[in-house]
Amino acid sequence: MLKVYFGDMEDSIYNTSVRFDNNYEDSWINSAIAKEIIKDIDNSEVLSANCIKSEVLGQISPTMLSGGTKTLLLIINEPTEIFNASTCGDNCAKWILKISENKDVIINLRHIMDFGRENFTLEVLNNNKIVHSMKELLPYASEYLR
Amino acid sequence: MKGSYRIRIRSKRVSYDFTLYRNITIIQGDSATGKSTLVRLIDNYYNEGSSSGVKLECQKTCRVLGGKDWEHNLEAIKDSIVFLDEGNKFIKSDDFAEAIKNSDNYYVIITREDLSSLPYSVNEIYGIKINGKTLENEPVYNEMYRIYGSYTASRPIEPVMVITEDSNSGFYFFEHVCKQSGIKCISAEGKSKVVKHIKAETTDRILLIADGAAFGPHMREVMQYLKIYTNYMIYLPESFEWLILKSGIFRSKVITDILDNPSDYIESSEYFSWERFFTALLVKETADNKKISVYTKTGKLSNYYTNPENTNKILNELKNIKLL
């Protein structure tokens, strides 16, 4: 299940882009889910672990992937760490939910991410409440982001 | 710094063309739209000039600020446009707000966080989108779009309740107007309390009025609520003082010229937000006018603004919103 801590969090990794650039491994890029994410978010195709074909930028290294994609790959591959997922746009929300479908995932949010109109399940770690929709989530997000 | 500045920047692969109008511009939106690429190009050009392969056209120096020594580095930056990429935790700090408060730079900040210490406008929150590629060998052209805008009503609306973010003169004016037409009017008593009222009020057709010039930090939260609480309409003039000036109650060429192009008159080192500038302008205008008392934002609103003629002039600026 997805667990979200809203607001400042001492232990979370804030600059996810720097973390990714210095810590990613070839296997992260070659995984099936990474290829799907890179296609969906960055509109790019993984050619190899070191080369990604971007529609806009040409052939790029993984360090030139978007901040959102880098954060998603960190969440998948470094499960013991907590990452600042406010580096992810709303187009990453469905992936965060998908990644946490079969395992517990903790993220730190410093803004109100739009998880969409459909129902979802996540735990707000600030108060341990479970919510199933944006309507249920918003009051807690507002409270803890002040 | 004052004025508006067009920035055109391009590499072989990608180009951007946009204009900055105020001291603080926020860029946010979906991932992979080219925000960090923009900052990288700005940084490459600043450090390597045209030998970087980046072409940049702007009347002001554009550069990037970030890292642990930001405070020290910022002290040396004058009369420039300063870009900050996401990943800089300090942008939310009071220290950063204080450092840029009386600065003569403009700032472009990439973040999805609500920076409540900074008074940025709802009009200066942008996303980036691709606007096409003209020729095969040409770079992909990116442009910025306003995420929110002013929310002027596009069709006539007749609210049955009005909530003003303002608790001072703006509230007094709208309360006076609403009393005449039997519309309930309450003050949220501040930007941060608007959401509390949105959740509490269930009446149909509620009009929320807030000062757009400094409401930027609250906009994402409010708009998320308004996706759920669909009984709300929102109107975001720059500020109540701007409404008065815009209404034509005080006819002067100086005011008209300023309102036509505020960027050219509002010095960033003097006014942190346009809201403060318009208040100062109205105070000055009324101080020079022997017919009425000097305008005060916090005191009781003079009857001069609520007489029928001037009330109508102000309400005429609320296009398509019927309160009387």
Side-chain angles (χ1 to χ4, degrees):
Chain A
M1 182 167 61
L2 179 61
K3 301 176 181 213
V4 180
Y5 188 90
F6 285 99
D8 284 345
M9 191 181 192
E10 279 285 308
D11 299 333
S12 81
I13 294 170
Y14 188 83
N15 194 329
T16 53
S17 182
V18 166
R19 173 72 177 207
F20 178 88
D21 292 354
N22 294 306
N23 240 27
Y24 83 88
E25 293 176 17
D26 290 356
S27 60
W28 296 13
I29 309 299
N30 282 326
S31 70
I33 191 165
K35 288 177 180 173
E36 269 188 76
I37 289 170
I38 291 167
K39 182 73 193 161
D40 180 50
I41 304 292
D42 288 40
N43 195 22
S44 299
E45 187 187 345
V46 175
L47 300 180
S48 73
N50 300 306
C51 186
I52 291 155
K53 187 181 170 192
S54 158
E55 279 278 307
V56 175
L57 300 171
Q59 291 192 5
I60 59 168
S61 120
T63 58
M64 286 178 72
L65 288 168
S66 67
T69 290
K70 287 179 180 180
T71 306
L72 291 173
L73 297 182
L74 285 166
I75 292 169
I76 293 167
N77 293 290
E78 293 196 41
T80 57
E81 302 289 353
I82 299 170
F83 294 100
N84 166 23
S86 286
T87 52
C88 294
D90 290 340
N91 55 339
C92 296
K94 66 171 188 262
W95 285 104
I96 292 174
L97 291 170
K98 186 170 181 175
I99 292 164
S100 56
E101 261 172 12
N102 299 315
K103 61 176 180 178
D104 283 347
V105 168
I106 300 176
I107 60 169
N108 176 211
L109 278 179
R110 293 155 186 265
H111 81 297
I112 301 175
M113 178 173 274
D114 189 344
F115 286 97
R117 290 171 186 272
E118 303 293 318
N119 279 1
F120 53 84
T121 301
L122 68 80
E123 181 180 348
V124 177
L125 281 181
N126 307 67
N127 58 8
N128 302 114
K129 301 278 186 191
I130 308 283
V131 300
H132 299 96
S133 66
M134 285 304 290
K135 189 173 184 176
E136 289 176 11
L137 177 64
L138 274 173
Y140 298 137
S142 288
E143 183 180 349
Y144 296 115
L145 287 171
R146 293 234 179 273
Chain B
M1 189 191 290
K2 60 185 171 187
S4 54
Y5 296 96
R6 184 175 180 185
I7 297 174
R8 283 185 282 187
I9 186 163
R10 60 186 284 167
S11 68
K12 280 277 183 195
R13 296 282 183 187
V14 63
S15 77
Y16 300 80
D17 186 346
F18 55 94
T19 302
L20 305 178
Y21 298 94
R22 309 188 199 209
N23 56 340
I24 302 171
T25 299
I26 304 290
I27 305 180
Q28 48 188 225
D30 279 347
S31 291
T33 52
K35 299 180 290 294
S36 294
T37 301
L38 168 64
V39 174
R40 186 169 49 78
L41 294 186
I42 297 280
D43 200 38
N44 288 166
Y45 185 85
Y46 177 76
N47 285 303
E48 305 294 335
S50 55
S51 67
S52 63
V54 176
K55 289 178 182 161
L56 185 138
E57 292 171 56
C58 181
Q59 285 177 286
K60 297 288 180 185
T61 300
C62 297
R63 56 183 298 176
V64 175
L65 178 71
K68 214 171 178 180
D69 297 327
W70 69 269
E71 218 159 353
H72 173 73
N73 294 337
L74 185 56
E75 279 174 18
I77 302 174
K78 308 286 177 204
D79 198 32
S80 300
I81 298 171
V82 181
F83 288 73
L84 297 103
D85 202 358
E86 67 182 359
N88 289 300
K89 206 172 187 176
F90 64 81
I91 58 169
K92 210 169 176 179
S93 70
D94 290 341
D95 287 344
F96 179 65
E98 199 54 42
I100 73 168
K101 193 173 182 180
N102 300 114
S103 147
D104 64 353
N105 301 312
Y106 277 14
Y107 296 87
V108 180
I109 304 169
I110 296 176
T111 184
R112 295 183 186 88
E113 295 182 51
D114 297 332
L115 308 179
S116 51
S117 302
L118 303 180
Y120 50 92
S121 165
V122 294
N123 293 317
E124 307 308 329
I125 303 174
Y126 294 90
I128 295 177
K129 65 178 181 186
I130 291 176
N131 194 25
K133 189 173 182 174
T134 45
L135 294 166
E136 187 55 34
N137 294 321
E138 286 289 297
V140 171
Y141 170 60
N142 289 288
E143 64 176 18
M144 301 222 291
Y145 65 94
R146 284 198 163 103
I147 291 181
Y148 301 114
S150 64
Y151 287 89
T152 305
S154 55
R155 56 187 169 76
I157 52 174
E158 293 184 34
V160 295
M161 182 176 177
V162 170
I163 300 176
T164 68
E165 160 237 321
D166 191 352
S167 59
N168 297 308
S169 46
F171 170 64
Y172 285 120
F173 174 81
F174 287 109
E175 187 188 39
H176 175 84
V177 170
C178 290
K179 202 174 275 180
Q180 293 175 58
S181 42
I183 297 171
K184 186 179 173 188
C185 181
I186 59 171
S187 165
E189 297 183 333
K191 295 176 182 66
S192 60
K193 294 181 184 163
V194 165
V195 160
K196 189 183 90 179
H197 288 275
I198 292 176
K199 285 187 287 183
E201 303 296 342
T202 53
T203 315
D204 195 24
R205 284 183 289 138
I206 302 172
L207 176 66
L208 173 64
I209 301 174
D211 291 348
F215 201 65
H218 306 276
M219 200 57 186
R220 184 178 173 91
E221 182 187 20
V222 166
M223 293 310 290
Q224 287 291 340
Y225 274 94
L226 296 197
K227 281 183 186 174
I228 293 161
Y229 298 87
T230 54
N231 51 330
Y232 274 83
M233 299 159 281
I234 187 164
Y235 177 59
L236 301 165
E238 293 282 354
S239 67
F240 179 61
E241 292 74 20
W242 175 86
L243 257 184
I244 293 174
L245 292 163
K246 189 84 176 159
S247 72
I249 291 175
F250 304 105
R251 288 187 185 281
S252 101
K253 185 174 181 314
V254 174
I255 290 177
T256 306
D257 289 348
I258 291 171
L259 295 178
D260 282 350
N261 207 350
S263 301
D264 287 348
Y265 297 87
I266 303 176
E267 171 57 50
S268 64
S269 60
E270 206 174 336
Y271 298 101
F272 206 13
S273 79
W274 284 16
E275 183 187 28
R276 294 181 189 184
F277 171 83
F278 290 123
T279 301
L281 182 62
L282 185 56
V283 168
K284 184 178 181 305
E285 182 63 26
T286 51
D288 294 343
N289 190 327
K290 289 177 183 154
K291 288 183 192 169
I292 54 168
S293 55
V294 179
Y295 178 83
T296 60
K297 191 177 179 70
T298 50
K300 187 180 181 302
L301 187 67
S302 159
N303 292 339
Y304 181 74
Y305 303 98
T306 51
N307 72 39
E309 187 185 348
N310 288 337
T311 293
N312 280 331
K313 283 181 179 173
I314 293 170
L315 291 181
N316 282 341
E317 287 304 313
L318 279 70
K319 313 285 184 210
N320 280 336
I321 297 170
K322 195 171 177 225
L323 293 179
L324 267 184

